[in-house]
Amino acid sequence: MRRLGTAVTAVVLAGAAVSATAVTATAASATGAAPAAACDTAGWGSALKSADADAHKPLTAIRTGQHDCFDRMVFEVPTAGGKPVGYRIGYVKELHQDGSGDLIKVGGGAILEIRVAAPSYDPGTGRTTYPGKAGKPLPGVNIAGYRSFKDTRFAASFEGDTQIGLGVAKRLPFRVTQQNNQLVVDVAHS
């Protein structure tokens, strides 16, 4: 009798585990969602972030990428000896072009204004090093299908700084890091 009770209990428990797994799998496939990954954004925040730097080397490229927990924008700025690049990055209600003050429309639920202490031209020769045009999307950057990034706009390259408008889904936490010749801006998905 005891063995029969133990066998029945084991079958009932196994059936409950299979049912719970099936319900979870069905719910995930019904929403089209993958299992949620743990995303550590401790210390990111949505407040203004800035750093000063002495050298103003020209900006040569901007590219983007998608990750499980965030979207990334990378600014390529060749620096002597890997010195840090100055920046000022924060949310604004509207994007106004440096120099002229003209309003530049940026799509998305919030606008992250990114100022990098690097002109889009060589100050010595005047030669363009990054071909951005005021009010236009960033050349060569395709953010279709990104979760956080919704729009990009080149604003200006004025007095040694380059100004970019990044439209995001809503006011989301972000972080700024530097490595070698790159300034990296990550915007969390939530």
Side-chain angles (χ1 to χ4, degrees), residues 46 53 134:
S46 61

Side-chain angles (χ1 to χ4, degrees), residues 69-165:
C69 299
F70 55 87
D71 291 344
R72 171 170 283 177
M73 183 171 279
V74 178
F75 296 83
E76 295 285 342
V77 183
T79 60
K83 291 181 181 175
V85 176
Y87 60 87
R88 182 176 173 88
I89 304 170
Y91 284 100
V92 295
K93 290 183 182 185
E94 296 179 324
L95 182 67
H96 290 274
Q97 183 184 34
D98 281 349
S100 71
D102 291 345
L103 176 66
I104 295 177
K105 297 282 188 186
V106 182
I111 301 168
L112 196 57
E113 180 180 36
I114 302 171
R115 294 172 183 269
V116 180
S120 64
Y121 56 88
D122 182 325
T125 65
R127 182 184 64 82
T128 299
T129 58
Y130 181 77
K133 301 288 183 214
K136 302 293 183 191
L138 298 178
V141 172
N142 180 359
I143 57 168
Y146 280 50
R147 288 180 56 191
S148 297
F149 295 173
K150 300 303 173 191
D151 193 13
T152 65
R153 296 292 159 171
F154 186 87
S157 192
F158 184 72
E159 294 184 349
D161 287 350
T162 296
Q163 178 189 27
I164 304 295

